[in-house]
Amino acid sequence: MQGIGTIIPLILMFVLFYFLLIRPQQKRQKSVANMQSSLKKGDKIVTIGGLHGFIDSIDENKVVIKCGDGSRLTYDRNAIREVTESAAGEGSVNLTK
């Protein structure tokens, strides 16, 4: 009976950590992966380094971003932090919250 009394608080602590830390992080990762897989040409984006630009071309793992001065930079698809404006003009999508 003494062993069960010490195991129950550990189980409750694990459940609490799951719902407060692990589950929200998994949801955030899933939404970012969904956003990165739905990128398309013409989307206005921000990279994890803070670069703002438009997607000029896109393939499986690489994205070519056109900057304000007309230069084109190649980034990994995973370096896209958020889409600020969709190419279809659907509005702002902020996934960093």
Side-chain angles (χ1 to χ4, degrees), residues 39-41 55-60 62-64 77:
L39 292 172
K40 56 190 172 295
K41 183 176 179 176
I55 296 179
D56 191 47
S57 67
I58 191 166
D59 66 5
E60 189 71 25
K62 303 279 184 197
V63 176
V64 177
R77 187 182 279 238

Side-chain angles (χ1 to χ4, degrees), residues 28-93:
R28 201 172 304 119
Q29 286 175 341
K30 188 175 182 180
S31 67
V32 167
N34 185 28
M35 179 270 305
Q36 289 174 346
S37 67
S38 66
L39 292 172
K40 56 190 172 295
K41 183 176 179 176
D43 285 350
K44 186 174 181 181
I45 55 96
V46 179
T47 66
I48 57 175
L51 177 81
H52 294 252
F54 293 93
I55 296 179
D56 191 47
S57 67
I58 191 166
D59 66 5
E60 189 71 25
N61 295 320
K62 303 279 184 197
V63 176
V64 177
I65 300 172
K66 185 175 182 182
C67 300
D69 63 351
S71 62
R72 289 175 171 77
L73 304 169
T74 304
Y75 279 84
D76 287 339
R77 187 182 279 238
N78 295 333
I80 307 299
R81 183 180 68 193
E82 67 179 295
V83 177
T84 57
E85 187 177 315
S86 181
E90 296 173 4
S92 179
V93 177

